[in-house]
Amino acid sequence: PIRSPSSPVKTGCAPWIWRRYDLRSPDDLRWICEAAGELARGGRAVFPSAAAILRAEDKRETYDALRAAAVPTLACRPVAELAACGRQAVVKPRVGWGGMGILRVGDTRSFREPEGFVAEDHVCQEFVPHDRTWTVAATDEGEIAVLEKWRRPDDFRTDGDFNREVRRTAPFGDAVAI
């Protein structure tokens, strides 16, 4: 029912909508949240909600929600506070996935913004070498799935498996409670 960010929301849709989206920019995020909100105001049950999309897709919003829920996570700062990340850091687009647009900074003291860089559209975090990432999906009913993804320890991308299988693992620690 919705074709592109430049077209208006179409009416006459199903009574419920499951939004699937591929966000790569703040404009994409703004549009999908507005579309979800407009559909909800029009009486449609929208999943995920505009608020959930915002919390899941904007790295600063995700960080704030995780901290509010007491989930331990690395500090996520505005790029203006890059030096507070330590010597090595990553600068990430607030909206994006799979490592697209991430800059690895070897020395935060000598970082120079690339041409066309918009600091407000990015966040920074300490760089932590690691060889795997867990993606955890959960519901209010306590259903949980944990996907384990592998990569080279010096890589910063989160969606690369580098010839290793992405596998489902059992929940660990307090994952269900968190």
Side-chain angles (χ1 to χ4, degrees):
I2 301 172
R3 287 188 285 222
S4 74
S6 61
S7 69
V9 175
K10 302 287 183 180
T11 57
C13 315
W16 57 270
I17 308 291
W18 179 12
R19 302 289 309 147
R20 185 175 171 149
Y21 48 86
D22 178 13
L23 306 177
R24 296 174 189 246
S25 73
D27 288 339
D28 291 346
L29 178 59
R30 192 171 14 269
W31 177 79
I32 199 70
C33 288
E34 288 171 3
E38 190 171 330
L39 287 164
R41 286 186 297 279
R44 307 305 193 281
V46 180
F47 178 82
S49 69
I53 293 168
L54 182 64
R55 279 191 311 272
E57 299 299 335
D58 181 311
K59 289 175 183 66
R60 185 63 201 200
E61 295 286 337
T62 302
Y63 170 75
D64 289 343
L66 290 171
R67 293 296 294 221
V71 176
T73 187
L74 288 174
C76 179
R77 297 177 162 88
V79 175
E81 297 176 18
L82 183 62
C85 293
R87 192 174 147 281
Q88 294 188 42
V90 288
V91 174
K92 304 175 179 182
R94 285 180 65 158
V95 179
W97 51 270
M100 294 185 307
I102 293 179
L103 303 171
R104 182 165 172 200
V105 179
D107 183 354
T108 55
R109 296 167 298 188
S110 62
F111 176 70
R112 301 288 177 260
E113 296 178 356
E115 187 175 331
F117 185 86
V118 179
E120 295 77 31
D121 292 343
H122 292 77
V123 294
C124 60
Q125 292 180 305
E126 171 188 355
F127 175 73
V128 178
H130 58 286
D131 64 356
R132 61 186 165 172
T133 299
W134 292 276
T135 300
V136 181
T139 67
D140 288 344
E141 291 81 32
E143 295 293 320
I144 191 164
V146 180
L147 298 178
E148 186 175 38
K149 300 174 185 179
W150 293 85
R151 77 207 32 78
R152 293 181 306 268
D154 62 341
D155 205 332
F156 54 82
R157 292 173 289 175
T158 59
D159 288 338
D161 62 282
F162 303 105
N163 299 319
R164 289 178 126 172
E165 237 179 80
V166 173
R167 67 185 181 101
R168 185 174 175 177
T169 65
F172 48 87
D174 290 335
V176 174
I178 290 171

